Amino acid sequence: MRLSAKHANQQTVEYRDFTGGLNTTNAIEMIEMNELNRCVNFELMGNLLRTVSGTKDIYRTDSLHFTDMFFDTINGLLLLCTKDRHVYTLMTDGTQLTDRGTLTGKVTPGFASWEDGVLIASGGKLQYWNGAELVAIEASPDVCNGVFVSHGRVIVYYDDVIHYSAVGDETNWTEDSNDDSSSKWLQVGYKDGGKITAVVNLSADIIAFKSNNTAFHIAGQYPDWAQREISRNISNRSWRTALALTNSAVVLGDNSLQALSTTDDYGEIKASDLGVKVQDNIKALPSSMKLRYVAPLNQLWLISGERRFLFMDVARGAFFMREYNSPAVDVCYRRETVFVLKDNAVCYLDNGMDIHDDGEPLRWEMYCKTIVSYNDYLVKRGRVDITPLFQTYAYVNYYVGHVLYSELVPKEALQIWHDYTQIYHSKRGIKGKPIANIYTNGDEIYDNDYEIYGNTTYLKSTAYVRQSKRQLDRHKAIKTYGKGSGGRFILNLISYDVAEV
């Protein structure tokens, strides 16, 4: 956003960069306008806002209830878990759903890619999907609450103990004191009363989080490993709310989202709170949470099993919300394709012109911080500017104070079609009267094989849609917000002239 003062009692307010870049020296008292108060179904595109992608189904069922998902990069398959603890594989085109067996435990499963497939830890024996079958590794510990891979070893944990497999062998869990490459174990936080809730990589080392809000740094490899407590004030919400992110370990606690990263100061681990401004939202999250990193979008999703959930743009540290028409329960990705799991469907993010989910338009909304004056504000003129990525009709409405900026759609969306389907060569009639004439010589467009007579616009979106209004609208508080549904667009600018009177 850029804010510039015209003179002592009149400003031009421009919401151009919604991420926090204030470029002025004359309006410090209005700096609070530089932030969004609430933003649903938008994400960042550079310094601008863009509506999120909708979804399309690749598989839908009436008999299964999905809970968890992981992409098997080795075999190019989706692994799906259900409420009855079954594990299925699904081709990425939605074909060949195959029941592969049952989970050995009852906690939310954790996954790790390994050799020919995927390791699965769900609170019982470790399991291995090897690309052909799901097998239990009988030599593994009886309880495996989580799994990951580091330095050629499979690592699982339960209670306050971390178990390491033999190097390169997921079936070997026998310790041999004369062989450094054999299976090993490590007790974390001796007799401190806490249980391990997550273990994640941090560079070449690992971080272990415990239920008593302590965190431990385990550096090096056996026999040269070293364990050190680094904090007694880091909570972990549930089994799947900690992950490794580049050189940081990110953990979702009861009241915060924290990042632990290495620092040059005496070799310490530094903790920083990423979610200070959404602390109330984090407190309200249910215990059954999943923290997922979606690499193609560079976003952290805080999936709560509800229709609306938080996500964070990692590059800018900005929080937004997604809201689907039915709850999302998990997410994973394959290269640039992002898969979203619903209770009864597997979907992918569709980067097309429209934003739909479950076959219905997605709603979006955004609210800027309210500007409050000691006297009154007089809004004299305003402008809203978008780049439409849609061609059919969509609802795009913005408000500055009591002034509505409506019908922010390309002319083609009003002239050529009006019922969400293209009129040209359409087998359906026009629903509702178009705002502008769609033909000028009296010939019927319905089922016409030729060009539309008299049309001077192309059947594609224009570069931008801008609407300006001169107005006299007086308030003590000015609210700037937008609501709509159905079409993808980029928000370029919201601008208005205001004088304090």
Side-chain angles (χ1 to χ4, degrees), residues 387-407:
T387 298
L389 305 178
F390 57 91
Q391 296 177 357
T392 55
Y393 188 81
Y395 293 95
V396 183
N397 298 322
Y398 275 89
Y399 297 81
V400 175
H402 291 165
V403 179
L404 169 63
Y405 297 77
S406 62
E407 301 290 358

Side-chain angles (χ1 to χ4, degrees), residues 44-79:
L44 287 173
M45 190 192 75
N47 288 337
L48 301 176
L49 290 176
R50 175 182 61 190
T51 49
V52 300
S53 300
T55 69
K56 283 189 177 180
D57 291 351
I58 64 169
Y59 182 82
R60 185 167 288 271
T61 176
D62 294 326
S63 57
L64 301 176
H65 298 280
F66 298 120
T67 57
D68 303 275
M69 175 172 61
F70 186 80
F71 184 73
D72 175 5
T73 57
I74 308 301
N75 300 289
L77 298 170
L78 288 166
L79 288 179

Side-chain angles (χ1 to χ4, degrees), residues 1 8 21 102 117 119 121 131 140 198 203 267 307 326 389 441 453 469 476:
M1 178 184 74
T102 307
L119 295 163
S140 66
S203 299
R307 292 174 56 241
S326 61
L389 305 178
N441 66 346
Y453 296 177
K469 291 186 177 181
K476 188 173 290 294

Side-chain angles (χ1 to χ4, degrees), residues 416-474:
I416 307 304
W417 49 71
H418 195 65
D419 62 350
Y420 301 102
T421 57
Q422 186 175 338
I423 298 302
Y424 182 68
H425 199 56
S426 174
K427 299 296 183 182
R428 300 171 58 189
I430 301 172
K431 294 182 179 178
K433 182 181 179 181
I435 292 178
N437 292 331
I438 57 175
Y439 49 85
T440 59
N441 66 346
D443 288 344
E444 187 178 14
I445 297 301
Y446 179 76
D447 204 21
N448 180 21
D449 289 325
Y450 300 95
E451 292 183 357
I452 300 174
Y453 296 177
N455 180 37
T456 59
T457 58
Y458 293 103
L459 297 182
K460 63 178 182 180
S461 295
T462 52
Y464 62 88
V465 175
R466 177 179 298 166
Q467 189 174 129
S468 299
K469 291 186 177 181
R470 299 189 70 87
Q471 59 201 63
L472 290 175
D473 190 37
R474 183 167 172 164

Side-chain angles (χ1 to χ4, degrees), residues 254-326:
D254 295 330
N255 303 313
S256 62
L257 179 68
Q258 296 189 73
L260 278 69
S261 55
T262 57
T263 176
D264 293 333
D265 297 335
Y266 309 104
E268 294 293 328
I269 301 294
K270 178 183 178 182
S272 56
D273 194 343
L274 303 176
V276 174
K277 294 187 177 181
V278 291
Q279 192 175 62
D280 290 341
N281 300 85
I282 290 175
K283 288 180 180 179
L285 293 173
S287 59
S288 56
M289 284 292 307
K290 294 170 189 169
L291 184 64
R292 302 296 197 206
Y293 176 59
V294 185
L297 304 176
N298 199 20
Q299 295 174 357
L300 279 176
W301 288 23
L302 286 68
I303 299 181
S304 59
E306 299 176 346
R307 292 174 56 241
R308 179 178 288 195
F309 60 90
L310 282 171
F311 71 94
M312 186 188 82
D313 183 279
V314 173
R316 306 300 288 268
F319 282 86
F320 301 89
M321 283 188 172
R322 287 179 184 260
E323 183 175 357
Y324 290 117
N325 293 327
S326 61

Side-chain angles (χ1 to χ4, degrees), residues 219-404:
Q221 299 297 309
Y222 181 86
D224 300 319
W225 58 25
Q227 175 186 165
R228 182 169 58 86
E229 182 182 308
I230 58 175
S231 176
R232 292 196 174 188
N233 193 34
I234 298 178
S235 61
N236 180 31
R237 178 69 65 96
S238 62
W239 293 111
R240 306 298 166 230
T241 53
L243 52 80
L245 187 63
T246 58
N247 291 324
S248 298
V250 181
V251 57
L252 176 66
D254 295 330
N255 303 313
S256 62
L257 179 68
Q258 296 189 73
L260 278 69
S261 55
T262 57
T263 176
D264 293 333
D265 297 335
Y266 309 104
E268 294 293 328
I269 301 294
K270 178 183 178 182
S272 56
D273 194 343
L274 303 176
V276 174
K277 294 187 177 181
V278 291
Q279 192 175 62
D280 290 341
N281 300 85
I282 290 175
K283 288 180 180 179
L285 293 173
S287 59
S288 56
M289 284 292 307
K290 294 170 189 169
L291 184 64
R292 302 296 197 206
Y293 176 59
V294 185
L297 304 176
N298 199 20
Q299 295 174 357
L300 279 176
W301 288 23
L302 286 68
I303 299 181
S304 59
E306 299 176 346
R307 292 174 56 241
R308 179 178 288 195
F309 60 90
L310 282 171
F311 71 94
M312 186 188 82
D313 183 279
V314 173
R316 306 300 288 268
F319 282 86
F320 301 89
M321 283 188 172
R322 287 179 184 260
E323 183 175 357
Y324 290 117
N325 293 327
S326 61
V329 296
D330 213 340
V331 63
C332 67
Y333 60 91
R334 177 194 186 188
R335 299 189 186 98
E336 297 303 314
T337 302
V338 178
F339 298 97
V340 178
L341 186 67
K342 304 293 190 73
D343 174 79
N344 62 342
V346 182
C347 320
Y348 70 93
L349 293 190
D350 175 33
N351 294 321
M353 298 180 294
D354 300 315
I355 50 173
H356 286 72
D357 179 63
D358 287 348
E360 297 293 331
L362 277 178
R363 294 177 294 276
W364 58 264
E365 61 180 14
M366 58 162 288
Y367 290 81
C368 300
K369 282 199 170 182
T370 302
I371 306 171
V372 180
S373 170
Y374 180 78
N375 298 304
D376 280 338
Y377 278 129
L378 181 65
V379 180
K380 301 174 65 178
R381 180 176 56 189
R383 184 177 69 179
V384 178
D385 189 310
I386 71 168
T387 298
L389 305 178
F390 57 91
Q391 296 177 357
T392 55
Y393 188 81
Y395 293 95
V396 183
N397 298 322
Y398 275 89
Y399 297 81
V400 175
H402 291 165
V403 179
L404 169 63

